[in-house]
Amino acid sequence: MSNHKKKFEAPVEKNKTYQGEINDLTHEGLGVAKIEHYPIFIEGALTGETVEFKVIKVGKSYGVGKLIKIINTSPDRVEIKDKAYAQSGTMPLQHLTYEGQLKFKKDQVENVMQKIAKLPDMPVHDVMGMENPFGYRNKAQVPVRKIKGKLETGIYRKNSHDLIPMEDFKIQDPEIDKAILTVRDIMRTYGVKPYNEKDNTGNLRHILVRRGYHTGEMMIVLVTRTPKLFPISKIVPDILEELPEVVSIVQNVNPKKTNVILGQEAILLHGEDKYHDKLLDHTFEISHRSFFQVNTSQAEVLYSKVLEFAELTGEETVIDAYSGIGTISLALAEKAKKVYGIEIIEPAVEDAKRNAELNGIENVTYHVGAAEDVMVEWSKEGRSADLVVVDPPRKGLDQQFIDAVLEMQPKKMIYVSCNPATLARDLALLIEGGYTAEKVQPVDMFPQTSHVECIALIQKQTI
Ligand code: SAH
């Protein structure tokens, strides 16, 4: 029989059980076992372990396995006592020691520097981690559902909208966890109806709690399906009495059948639609819709590194592209002559302007627009900068942005990245354009998860 086009045949069969050694973790933290060079991704398995797994998916280039038994346990394994977390997927690295997590993150950055940027000698520093890698989130948004006749708060089971009731979220500020339970109990007392997603009935959809890490100020947001929240005149005083840190209570109305948490309409129930937190001694005013870094203390570590790399003397003109609500530009402004922020979302720019004013900072100007367009415009106008700081979303920089930077020729660039792969890609392009990448400093903003944040220092080559 001649068979020219050989049909792909995986060396494993669905629903069969195999044994394999884990040689690597994917960037999402899944263990990788290889059977005849065919990779199988296994959740919960760690590098160095030999495991038994059942194949649950056979794809063209990889398969997926379900962990059945660990035959040879890694010394980096942490035993998980509470199974709910494994079901929720909020802490995909929880079974790995924190030291192991930091090493995993550093390895990932080194890997992309080598494979994508072709920079095997790039100095990647040890990941700056947290002393206590739990309780760090300053914001929580928990769904509310009825389970066995009771109003419950918790977390969705992975890839579903089934609620798993949960009281200790582990990575949220413990004060936020307590506040969720307090609000839950008040809602139970008054018989508030939990939202029912199937037929879009019931009322209370989500409870959001945000708390200033440095200020302790708390904001409660009750997301409801209808504007009525019965009996509001009792709920509000009860919350205030039991949670004295609360400065703001907002009701957000979302009538739609949707995965989006917040609706358009907001009703102020107590205080104003704002609370405060600080970052490196600057105060930020945050509304219920505003973006704010979720790990305040590590954001300070990150921005301190940016300042260190910037080595500002007070004479510099700085561009802060992808400036968001201005956290980085305010940190830079005190040490530079002038900072120009560029941000595409107008309300974020409004926040940034207000925050500059709140802190008495006058040498920052914000520009609403796409960074790639604004940079081209500015370089055409012959404007220049000593330092360009970028903090783009996961997809990294646009080619047009990079071309504009190469046209503008700043002496220095600092690249804050939440995706090492696009960072590596962009570094290679900047190096091709005559820049040198000096070093990369990863910072762990999201312990127990697979996210890696990095700062790279990039300089113009001097001959
Ligand atoms: N440093 C900022 C956050 C940066 S997150 C802070 O702490 O507030 C990335 C930001 O880039 C977001 O605010 C997003 O709205 C913005 N953004 C996304 N695409 C953009 C583009 N093409 N041009 C300018 N800003 C963009």
Side-chain angles (χ1 to χ4, degrees), residues 279 291-293 303 320-329 342-345 348 369-372 391-393 395 398 416:
L279 275 174
F291 165 83
F292 191 68
Q293 292 282 354
Y303 298 158
D320 175 24
Y322 309 87
S323 52
I325 62 162
T327 46
I328 295 178
S329 25
I342 312 173
E343 163 62 47
I344 202 161
I345 294 180
E372 57 276 22
D391 184 5
K395 69 175 186 195
D398 214 89
V416 181

PDB file of all heavy atoms in Angstrom, residues 279 291-293 303 320-329 342-345 348 369-372 391-393 395 398 416, ligand 1:
ATOM      1  N   LEU A 279       0.271  55.246  45.972  1.00  0.00           N
ATOM      2  CA  LEU A 279       1.360  54.523  45.315  1.00  0.00           C
ATOM      3  C   LEU A 279       2.569  55.431  45.419  1.00  0.00           C
ATOM      4  O   LEU A 279       2.545  56.558  44.920  1.00  0.00           O
ATOM      5  CB  LEU A 279       1.049  54.294  43.836  1.00  0.00           C
ATOM      6  CG  LEU A 279       0.215  53.085  43.429  1.00  0.00           C
ATOM      7  CD1 LEU A 279      -0.082  53.133  41.949  1.00  0.00           C
ATOM      8  CD2 LEU A 279       0.916  51.792  43.775  1.00  0.00           C
ATOM      9  N   PHE A 291      -9.683  51.708  36.656  1.00  0.00           N
ATOM     10  CA  PHE A 291      -8.644  50.687  36.740  1.00  0.00           C
ATOM     11  C   PHE A 291      -7.659  51.134  37.814  1.00  0.00           C
ATOM     12  O   PHE A 291      -7.333  52.309  37.923  1.00  0.00           O
ATOM     13  CB  PHE A 291      -7.913  50.586  35.390  1.00  0.00           C
ATOM     14  CG  PHE A 291      -6.625  49.825  35.488  1.00  0.00           C
ATOM     15  CD1 PHE A 291      -6.639  48.445  35.448  1.00  0.00           C
ATOM     16  CD2 PHE A 291      -5.413  50.483  35.661  1.00  0.00           C
ATOM     17  CE1 PHE A 291      -5.457  47.727  35.570  1.00  0.00           C
ATOM     18  CE2 PHE A 291      -4.228  49.774  35.784  1.00  0.00           C
ATOM     19  CZ  PHE A 291      -4.246  48.389  35.738  1.00  0.00           C
ATOM     20  N   PHE A 292      -7.210  50.219  38.637  1.00  0.00           N
ATOM     21  CA  PHE A 292      -6.106  50.506  39.550  1.00  0.00           C
ATOM     22  C   PHE A 292      -5.332  49.213  39.729  1.00  0.00           C
ATOM     23  O   PHE A 292      -5.925  48.133  39.775  1.00  0.00           O
ATOM     24  CB  PHE A 292      -6.648  51.004  40.909  1.00  0.00           C
ATOM     25  CG  PHE A 292      -5.574  51.564  41.810  1.00  0.00           C
ATOM     26  CD1 PHE A 292      -4.931  52.750  41.484  1.00  0.00           C
ATOM     27  CD2 PHE A 292      -5.195  50.901  42.973  1.00  0.00           C
ATOM     28  CE1 PHE A 292      -3.922  53.260  42.299  1.00  0.00           C
ATOM     29  CE2 PHE A 292      -4.197  51.418  43.791  1.00  0.00           C
ATOM     30  CZ  PHE A 292      -3.563  52.599  43.455  1.00  0.00           C
ATOM     31  N   GLN A 293      -4.022  49.315  39.782  1.00  0.00           N
ATOM     32  CA  GLN A 293      -3.194  48.119  39.982  1.00  0.00           C
ATOM     33  C   GLN A 293      -3.745  47.302  41.145  1.00  0.00           C
ATOM     34  O   GLN A 293      -3.991  47.848  42.209  1.00  0.00           O
ATOM     35  CB  GLN A 293      -1.761  48.541  40.318  1.00  0.00           C
ATOM     36  CG  GLN A 293      -1.045  49.206  39.177  1.00  0.00           C
ATOM     37  CD  GLN A 293      -0.547  48.199  38.159  1.00  0.00           C
ATOM     38  OE1 GLN A 293      -0.627  46.991  38.344  1.00  0.00           O
ATOM     39  NE2 GLN A 293      -0.035  48.704  37.060  1.00  0.00           N
ATOM     40  N   TYR A 303       7.321  50.234  40.217  1.00  0.00           N
ATOM     41  CA  TYR A 303       7.577  51.620  39.836  1.00  0.00           C
ATOM     42  C   TYR A 303       8.886  52.142  40.427  1.00  0.00           C
ATOM     43  O   TYR A 303       9.543  52.988  39.827  1.00  0.00           O
ATOM     44  CB  TYR A 303       6.402  52.522  40.255  1.00  0.00           C
ATOM     45  CG  TYR A 303       5.109  52.135  39.558  1.00  0.00           C
ATOM     46  CD1 TYR A 303       3.880  52.487  40.076  1.00  0.00           C
ATOM     47  CD2 TYR A 303       5.133  51.414  38.368  1.00  0.00           C
ATOM     48  CE1 TYR A 303       2.706  52.124  39.437  1.00  0.00           C
ATOM     49  CE2 TYR A 303       3.964  51.044  37.726  1.00  0.00           C
ATOM     50  CZ  TYR A 303       2.752  51.410  38.269  1.00  0.00           C
ATOM     51  OH  TYR A 303       1.600  51.050  37.624  1.00  0.00           O
ATOM     52  N   ASP A 320       5.448  58.974  28.548  1.00  0.00           N
ATOM     53  CA  ASP A 320       4.915  57.781  29.204  1.00  0.00           C
ATOM     54  C   ASP A 320       3.772  57.291  28.321  1.00  0.00           C
ATOM     55  O   ASP A 320       2.668  57.826  28.381  1.00  0.00           O
ATOM     56  CB  ASP A 320       4.431  58.146  30.619  1.00  0.00           C
ATOM     57  CG  ASP A 320       3.744  56.980  31.321  1.00  0.00           C
ATOM     58  OD1 ASP A 320       4.017  55.818  30.965  1.00  0.00           O
ATOM     59  OD2 ASP A 320       2.935  57.234  32.248  1.00  0.00           O
ATOM     60  N   ALA A 321       4.069  56.296  27.478  1.00  0.00           N
ATOM     61  CA  ALA A 321       3.043  55.802  26.561  1.00  0.00           C
ATOM     62  C   ALA A 321       2.265  54.671  27.215  1.00  0.00           C
ATOM     63  O   ALA A 321       2.837  53.902  27.967  1.00  0.00           O
ATOM     64  CB  ALA A 321       3.694  55.327  25.269  1.00  0.00           C
ATOM     65  N   TYR A 322       0.966  54.589  26.928  1.00  0.00           N
ATOM     66  CA  TYR A 322       0.053  53.639  27.580  1.00  0.00           C
ATOM     67  C   TYR A 322      -0.038  54.016  29.073  1.00  0.00           C
ATOM     68  O   TYR A 322       0.183  53.191  29.950  1.00  0.00           O
ATOM     69  CB  TYR A 322       0.547  52.191  27.422  1.00  0.00           C
ATOM     70  CG  TYR A 322       0.868  51.819  25.998  1.00  0.00           C
ATOM     71  CD1 TYR A 322       2.139  52.061  25.468  1.00  0.00           C
ATOM     72  CD2 TYR A 322      -0.107  51.257  25.186  1.00  0.00           C
ATOM     73  CE1 TYR A 322       2.425  51.737  24.147  1.00  0.00           C
ATOM     74  CE2 TYR A 322       0.180  50.923  23.864  1.00  0.00           C
ATOM     75  CZ  TYR A 322       1.450  51.171  23.354  1.00  0.00           C
ATOM     76  OH  TYR A 322       1.745  50.845  22.042  1.00  0.00           O
ATOM     77  N   SER A 323      -0.331  55.275  29.315  1.00  0.00           N
ATOM     78  CA  SER A 323      -0.171  55.828  30.668  1.00  0.00           C
ATOM     79  C   SER A 323      -1.318  55.513  31.620  1.00  0.00           C
ATOM     80  O   SER A 323      -1.203  55.758  32.816  1.00  0.00           O
ATOM     81  CB  SER A 323       0.027  57.335  30.582  1.00  0.00           C
ATOM     82  OG  SER A 323      -1.005  57.914  29.813  1.00  0.00           O
ATOM     83  N   GLY A 324      -2.436  54.950  31.127  1.00  0.00           N
ATOM     84  CA  GLY A 324      -3.529  54.559  32.025  1.00  0.00           C
ATOM     85  C   GLY A 324      -3.981  55.719  32.891  1.00  0.00           C
ATOM     86  O   GLY A 324      -4.215  56.830  32.407  1.00  0.00           O
ATOM     87  N   ILE A 325      -4.116  55.478  34.197  1.00  0.00           N
ATOM     88  CA  ILE A 325      -4.570  56.539  35.100  1.00  0.00           C
ATOM     89  C   ILE A 325      -3.383  57.340  35.642  1.00  0.00           C
ATOM     90  O   ILE A 325      -3.508  58.086  36.599  1.00  0.00           O
ATOM     91  CB  ILE A 325      -5.407  55.975  36.259  1.00  0.00           C
ATOM     92  CG1 ILE A 325      -4.576  55.005  37.113  1.00  0.00           C
ATOM     93  CG2 ILE A 325      -6.664  55.293  35.728  1.00  0.00           C
ATOM     94  CD1 ILE A 325      -5.167  54.754  38.487  1.00  0.00           C
ATOM     95  N   GLY A 326      -2.218  57.146  35.038  1.00  0.00           N
ATOM     96  CA  GLY A 326      -1.089  58.027  35.331  1.00  0.00           C
ATOM     97  C   GLY A 326      -0.183  57.584  36.470  1.00  0.00           C
ATOM     98  O   GLY A 326       0.596  58.386  36.992  1.00  0.00           O
ATOM     99  N   THR A 327      -0.260  56.322  36.846  1.00  0.00           N
ATOM    100  CA  THR A 327       0.550  55.886  37.992  1.00  0.00           C
ATOM    101  C   THR A 327       2.046  56.063  37.727  1.00  0.00           C
ATOM    102  O   THR A 327       2.778  56.530  38.597  1.00  0.00           O
ATOM    103  CB  THR A 327       0.249  54.419  38.327  1.00  0.00           C
ATOM    104  OG1 THR A 327       0.234  53.663  37.131  1.00  0.00           O
ATOM    105  CG2 THR A 327      -1.094  54.289  39.007  1.00  0.00           C
ATOM    106  N   ILE A 328       2.494  55.683  36.533  1.00  0.00           N
ATOM    107  CA  ILE A 328       3.930  55.776  36.253  1.00  0.00           C
ATOM    108  C   ILE A 328       4.327  57.235  35.998  1.00  0.00           C
ATOM    109  O   ILE A 328       5.347  57.698  36.509  1.00  0.00           O
ATOM    110  CB  ILE A 328       4.316  54.891  35.042  1.00  0.00           C
ATOM    111  CG1 ILE A 328       4.085  53.407  35.395  1.00  0.00           C
ATOM    112  CG2 ILE A 328       5.763  55.107  34.641  1.00  0.00           C
ATOM    113  CD1 ILE A 328       4.387  52.427  34.271  1.00  0.00           C
ATOM    114  N   SER A 329       3.489  57.967  35.266  1.00  0.00           N
ATOM    115  CA  SER A 329       3.888  59.355  34.962  1.00  0.00           C
ATOM    116  C   SER A 329       4.000  60.214  36.211  1.00  0.00           C
ATOM    117  O   SER A 329       4.887  61.058  36.303  1.00  0.00           O
ATOM    118  CB  SER A 329       2.974  60.005  33.925  1.00  0.00           C
ATOM    119  OG  SER A 329       1.707  59.443  33.888  1.00  0.00           O
ATOM    120  N   ILE A 342       0.488  59.347  27.136  1.00  0.00           N
ATOM    121  CA  ILE A 342      -0.402  59.021  26.004  1.00  0.00           C
ATOM    122  C   ILE A 342      -1.255  57.826  26.399  1.00  0.00           C
ATOM    123  O   ILE A 342      -0.723  56.799  26.844  1.00  0.00           O
ATOM    124  CB  ILE A 342       0.378  58.632  24.725  1.00  0.00           C
ATOM    125  CG1 ILE A 342       1.486  59.642  24.430  1.00  0.00           C
ATOM    126  CG2 ILE A 342      -0.581  58.511  23.548  1.00  0.00           C
ATOM    127  CD1 ILE A 342       2.401  59.205  23.280  1.00  0.00           C
ATOM    128  N   GLU A 343      -2.571  57.961  26.245  1.00  0.00           N
ATOM    129  CA  GLU A 343      -3.479  56.885  26.648  1.00  0.00           C
ATOM    130  C   GLU A 343      -4.722  56.934  25.772  1.00  0.00           C
ATOM    131  O   GLU A 343      -5.267  57.986  25.499  1.00  0.00           O
ATOM    132  CB  GLU A 343      -3.831  57.056  28.144  1.00  0.00           C
ATOM    133  CG  GLU A 343      -5.046  56.308  28.644  1.00  0.00           C
ATOM    134  CD  GLU A 343      -4.936  54.773  28.521  1.00  0.00           C
ATOM    135  OE1 GLU A 343      -3.892  54.209  28.906  1.00  0.00           O
ATOM    136  OE2 GLU A 343      -5.905  54.168  28.041  1.00  0.00           O
ATOM    137  N   ILE A 344      -5.197  55.758  25.386  1.00  0.00           N
ATOM    138  CA  ILE A 344      -6.289  55.684  24.408  1.00  0.00           C
ATOM    139  C   ILE A 344      -7.675  55.846  25.044  1.00  0.00           C
ATOM    140  O   ILE A 344      -8.624  56.284  24.390  1.00  0.00           O
ATOM    141  CB  ILE A 344      -6.177  54.357  23.600  1.00  0.00           C
ATOM    142  CG1 ILE A 344      -6.902  54.449  22.262  1.00  0.00           C
ATOM    143  CG2 ILE A 344      -6.670  53.150  24.401  1.00  0.00           C
ATOM    144  CD1 ILE A 344      -6.447  53.378  21.276  1.00  0.00           C
ATOM    145  N   ILE A 345      -7.816  55.501  26.316  1.00  0.00           N
ATOM    146  CA  ILE A 345      -9.138  55.552  26.953  1.00  0.00           C
ATOM    147  C   ILE A 345      -9.348  56.896  27.661  1.00  0.00           C
ATOM    148  O   ILE A 345      -8.638  57.238  28.612  1.00  0.00           O
ATOM    149  CB  ILE A 345      -9.315  54.381  27.942  1.00  0.00           C
ATOM    150  CG1 ILE A 345      -9.333  53.075  27.143  1.00  0.00           C
ATOM    151  CG2 ILE A 345     -10.596  54.520  28.750  1.00  0.00           C
ATOM    152  CD1 ILE A 345      -9.504  51.841  27.979  1.00  0.00           C
ATOM    153  N   ALA A 348      -9.777  57.208  31.515  1.00  0.00           N
ATOM    154  CA  ALA A 348      -8.515  56.970  32.221  1.00  0.00           C
ATOM    155  C   ALA A 348      -7.686  58.251  32.237  1.00  0.00           C
ATOM    156  O   ALA A 348      -7.076  58.609  33.250  1.00  0.00           O
ATOM    157  CB  ALA A 348      -7.739  55.835  31.556  1.00  0.00           C
ATOM    158  N   GLY A 369      -5.253  59.321  22.819  1.00  0.00           N
ATOM    159  CA  GLY A 369      -5.010  58.840  21.463  1.00  0.00           C
ATOM    160  C   GLY A 369      -4.299  57.513  21.478  1.00  0.00           C
ATOM    161  O   GLY A 369      -3.892  57.023  22.524  1.00  0.00           O
ATOM    162  N   ALA A 370      -4.183  56.917  20.288  1.00  0.00           N
ATOM    163  CA  ALA A 370      -3.443  55.663  20.167  1.00  0.00           C
ATOM    164  C   ALA A 370      -1.961  55.997  20.171  1.00  0.00           C
ATOM    165  O   ALA A 370      -1.510  56.855  19.403  1.00  0.00           O
ATOM    166  CB  ALA A 370      -3.830  54.954  18.878  1.00  0.00           C
ATOM    167  N   ALA A 371      -1.222  55.332  21.030  1.00  0.00           N
ATOM    168  CA  ALA A 371       0.199  55.648  21.196  1.00  0.00           C
ATOM    169  C   ALA A 371       0.939  55.610  19.862  1.00  0.00           C
ATOM    170  O   ALA A 371       1.782  56.461  19.578  1.00  0.00           O
ATOM    171  CB  ALA A 371       0.823  54.671  22.191  1.00  0.00           C
ATOM    172  N   GLU A 372       0.585  54.601  19.016  1.00  0.00           N
ATOM    173  CA  GLU A 372       1.315  54.457  17.741  1.00  0.00           C
ATOM    174  C   GLU A 372       1.069  55.646  16.818  1.00  0.00           C
ATOM    175  O   GLU A 372       1.966  56.069  16.088  1.00  0.00           O
ATOM    176  CB  GLU A 372       0.980  53.113  17.062  1.00  0.00           C
ATOM    177  CG  GLU A 372      -0.486  52.836  16.764  1.00  0.00           C
ATOM    178  CD  GLU A 372      -1.266  52.249  17.953  1.00  0.00           C
ATOM    179  OE1 GLU A 372      -0.825  52.428  19.097  1.00  0.00           O
ATOM    180  OE2 GLU A 372      -2.322  51.628  17.712  1.00  0.00           O
ATOM    181  N   ASP A 391       4.164  50.900  28.711  1.00  0.00           N
ATOM    182  CA  ASP A 391       3.523  49.863  29.528  1.00  0.00           C
ATOM    183  C   ASP A 391       2.313  49.341  28.747  1.00  0.00           C
ATOM    184  O   ASP A 391       1.166  49.550  29.127  1.00  0.00           O
ATOM    185  CB  ASP A 391       3.097  50.474  30.880  1.00  0.00           C
ATOM    186  CG  ASP A 391       2.510  49.441  31.834  1.00  0.00           C
ATOM    187  OD1 ASP A 391       2.513  48.232  31.509  1.00  0.00           O
ATOM    188  OD2 ASP A 391       2.036  49.845  32.920  1.00  0.00           O
ATOM    189  N   PRO A 392       2.592  48.678  27.597  1.00  0.00           N
ATOM    190  CA  PRO A 392       1.487  48.297  26.704  1.00  0.00           C
ATOM    191  C   PRO A 392       0.706  47.083  27.212  1.00  0.00           C
ATOM    192  O   PRO A 392       1.182  46.372  28.080  1.00  0.00           O
ATOM    193  CB  PRO A 392       2.211  47.942  25.402  1.00  0.00           C
ATOM    194  CG  PRO A 392       3.545  47.451  25.826  1.00  0.00           C
ATOM    195  CD  PRO A 392       3.888  48.220  27.073  1.00  0.00           C
ATOM    196  N   PRO A 393      -0.490  46.848  26.636  1.00  0.00           N
ATOM    197  CA  PRO A 393      -1.229  45.620  26.945  1.00  0.00           C
ATOM    198  C   PRO A 393      -0.485  44.383  26.429  1.00  0.00           C
ATOM    199  O   PRO A 393       0.563  44.515  25.790  1.00  0.00           O
ATOM    200  CB  PRO A 393      -2.561  45.796  26.229  1.00  0.00           C
ATOM    201  CG  PRO A 393      -2.489  47.057  25.457  1.00  0.00           C
ATOM    202  CD  PRO A 393      -1.206  47.722  25.718  1.00  0.00           C
ATOM    203  N   LYS A 395      -0.469  42.451  23.961  1.00  0.00           N
ATOM    204  CA  LYS A 395       0.000  42.279  22.578  1.00  0.00           C
ATOM    205  C   LYS A 395       1.275  43.065  22.275  1.00  0.00           C
ATOM    206  O   LYS A 395       1.861  42.914  21.203  1.00  0.00           O
ATOM    207  CB  LYS A 395      -1.115  42.606  21.587  1.00  0.00           C
ATOM    208  CG  LYS A 395      -1.495  44.052  21.540  1.00  0.00           C
ATOM    209  CD  LYS A 395      -2.521  44.253  20.437  1.00  0.00           C
ATOM    210  CE  LYS A 395      -2.825  45.604  20.243  1.00  0.00           C
ATOM    211  NZ  LYS A 395      -3.276  46.652  19.955  1.00  0.00           N
ATOM    212  N   ASP A 398       3.143  48.201  18.796  1.00  0.00           N
ATOM    213  CA  ASP A 398       2.832  48.186  17.377  1.00  0.00           C
ATOM    214  C   ASP A 398       4.122  48.471  16.596  1.00  0.00           C
ATOM    215  O   ASP A 398       4.942  49.257  17.031  1.00  0.00           O
ATOM    216  CB  ASP A 398       1.873  49.373  17.186  1.00  0.00           C
ATOM    217  CG  ASP A 398       0.871  49.127  16.150  1.00  0.00           C
ATOM    218  OD1 ASP A 398      -0.185  48.586  16.519  1.00  0.00           O
ATOM    219  OD2 ASP A 398       1.150  49.491  14.987  1.00  0.00           O
ATOM    220  N   VAL A 416       7.866  48.347  30.363  1.00  0.00           N
ATOM    221  CA  VAL A 416       7.159  47.587  31.392  1.00  0.00           C
ATOM    222  C   VAL A 416       6.221  46.648  30.644  1.00  0.00           C
ATOM    223  O   VAL A 416       5.419  47.099  29.826  1.00  0.00           O
ATOM    224  CB  VAL A 416       6.353  48.508  32.332  1.00  0.00           C
ATOM    225  CG1 VAL A 416       5.645  47.701  33.412  1.00  0.00           C
ATOM    226  CG2 VAL A 416       7.254  49.565  32.964  1.00  0.00           C
TER     227      VAL A 416
HETATM  228  N1  SAH B   1       0.595  52.118  33.725  1.00  0.00           N
HETATM  229  C1  SAH B   1      -0.811  52.185  33.626  1.00  0.00           C
HETATM  230  C2  SAH B   1      -1.473  50.960  33.050  1.00  0.00           C
HETATM  231  C3  SAH B   1      -1.060  50.519  31.772  1.00  0.00           C
HETATM  232  S1  SAH B   1      -2.080  49.210  31.194  1.00  0.00           S
HETATM  233  C4  SAH B   1      -1.438  52.345  34.986  1.00  0.00           C
HETATM  234  O1  SAH B   1      -0.919  51.841  35.972  1.00  0.00           O
HETATM  235  O2  SAH B   1      -2.495  52.953  35.062  1.00  0.00           O
HETATM  236  C5  SAH B   1      -2.087  49.554  29.504  1.00  0.00           C
HETATM  237  C6  SAH B   1      -2.829  50.793  29.123  1.00  0.00           C
HETATM  238  O3  SAH B   1      -2.685  50.984  27.735  1.00  0.00           O
HETATM  239  C7  SAH B   1      -4.324  50.749  29.384  1.00  0.00           C
HETATM  240  O4  SAH B   1      -4.674  51.855  30.154  1.00  0.00           O
HETATM  241  C8  SAH B   1      -4.957  50.809  27.991  1.00  0.00           C
HETATM  242  O5  SAH B   1      -6.155  51.532  27.971  1.00  0.00           O
HETATM  243  C9  SAH B   1      -3.896  51.506  27.206  1.00  0.00           C
HETATM  244  N2  SAH B   1      -3.863  51.271  25.745  1.00  0.00           N
HETATM  245  C10 SAH B   1      -4.188  50.147  25.068  1.00  0.00           C
HETATM  246  N3  SAH B   1      -3.926  50.289  23.775  1.00  0.00           N
HETATM  247  C11 SAH B   1      -3.429  51.537  23.594  1.00  0.00           C
HETATM  248  C12 SAH B   1      -2.960  52.268  22.462  1.00  0.00           C
HETATM  249  N4  SAH B   1      -2.945  51.735  21.243  1.00  0.00           N
HETATM  250  N5  SAH B   1      -2.505  53.519  22.668  1.00  0.00           N
HETATM  251  C13 SAH B   1      -2.487  54.067  23.908  1.00  0.00           C
HETATM  252  N6  SAH B   1      -2.921  53.418  25.006  1.00  0.00           N
HETATM  253  C14 SAH B   1      -3.384  52.162  24.859  1.00  0.00           C
END
